[in-house]
Amino acid sequence: MKAFTYERAKSPAEAAAAVAGREGAKFIAGGTNLLDLMKLEIEAPTHLVDVQDLALDKIEETNDGGLRIGALVTNTALAAHPKVRKDYAVLTRAIVAGASGQLRNKATTAGNLLQRTRCPYFYDPNMPCNKRVPNSGCAAAEGFSRQLAVVGTSDKCIATYPGDMAIAMRVLDAVVETVLPDGKTRTIPMAEFHRLPGDKPWLDNTLGKGELIVSVRLPAPVGGQHFYHKVRDRRSYAFALVSVAAILNDDGSGRVAFGGVAHKPWRVEAAEALLPQGAGAVVAKAFEGASPTEHNKYKITLAERTLAGVIAEARS
Amino acid sequence: MPSIPTPPITRRGVLVAGAASAAVTTVPAAAQGPAKAAKIAPVPVKLVVNGKEVELELDTRTTLLDTLREHLKLTGTKKGCDHGQCGACTVMVNGTRVNSCLTLAVMHQGDEVATIEGLGTADDMHPMQEAFVKHDGYQCGYCTPGQICSAVAVLKEIEAGVPSHVTGDLTAPMAMTRAEMTERMSGNICRCGAYSNIFDAMSEVGGAKA
């Protein structure tokens, strides 16, 4: 690990300014992903701004009947919150489908949104990777791509966003709330928070330098039956090959987002409108224009079958 | 010709070398030499470890795991993968289990850390330690301190109503079942494969239904 200096910020605006004003500075919250990457020197910050004292660890009800989740609420606390379990079950289900108990106790809401890809070439400094070293090339496109993205890819990157929580937040129309280095605030809909790789795959999301997530807002509950089905190589503690976050209504309508298939949670509103016609119609529309590799084209079939399983469970 | 002293090979030495060679496959060559960066002053860190207050001066990079093992000589907590994948380093921080390899000591000013040494002693074992002995919940023993710390925490998490991936009704009280225990222990790997005995030990302590 490269050497770094360390400070604890006292307010969100101070933290944002501290990171914005210093080359090589980064926020640290739970640290479960950042420290892993720092040990491998994939991340090498020269200064860490610890945000743990910012009192962003509360879950509060909002005036419109929704919830405001503090950036530092742990995955465990969020998954276990009574109102989340009752009214936003897709979120609890997604969180407990990810990582291990130890990691969920430490990982935070904001940190989870900022989790970096698990593409094996991103993790291997001996290989080119445009996400790790801009414009160095992409070893994944012609390489071992079984776990990687099938849709929304570019010729520069086929990495996936690896998390589960954000897939549920996308289906719930969550909004990310931030503080900028000048103290102003901004809101970013989950749909626009993560970005597609395009020509700049080293950018995972639309946050600016020093912009700090302070909370995630959930709109009022929408009812329906909630599902998070995750298909992975082992039964627990593995990243998704494909996951389906869905909220289904009695009349067959609903919402659906896919995980493990793209650089961001993959929700296509025009595709979910086809839910009454069944999984085949939804997946055909959602994965229109997909460009899978020989190794990961199975994911499109798997997405359809996983969604079909969810729909069958909703009807039973 | 000067003779090169050969250090005695110990079980611990072999394990450490094994962990290091596993890490080398992913670490760039430049990272293996001594750090060339400007010297950064050590920072004071105050922790409460197994009920005892300790004060240390540490490099900011020091993980909680290395603090326990290398600075406080509490070697019960083990370093397996050092990347949060195996659970051998599991300890309690302020009452919840975490991977001590994936957190920095400086992030834990004033925190209460409980390790396997604080849980029980050979003469006065914690009920979970007794159950592991009774049910043979280990073979080589390397993952055992992490397994035991995790097992104790898992039973508390079920009692506290923290849901898991196998929980049926999210709004009902959690059931103390073997399925719940198995799922919640997935962050602790045992390469000897003592899992079924570990779950026997946990089931006895937790009073599990089938």
Side-chain angles (χ1 to χ4, degrees), chain A residues 4 36 39 52 85 93 236-237, chain B residues 60 83-84 101 167-168 186:
Chain A
F4 56 85
D36 182 26
K39 287 180 184 197
Q52 68 172 297
R85 282 152 70 169
R93 293 281 183 211
S236 185
Y237 196 21
Chain B
T60 52
H83 286 277
C101 74
T167 304
S186 67

Side-chain angles (χ1 to χ4, degrees), chain A residues 145-146 148-150 158 292-300:
Chain A
S145 56
R146 182 177 165 271
L148 303 177
V150 294
I158 59 168
T293 67
E294 192 57 29
H295 300 292
N296 66 20
K297 62 182 183 190
Y298 75 92
K299 285 195 177 193
I300 297 172

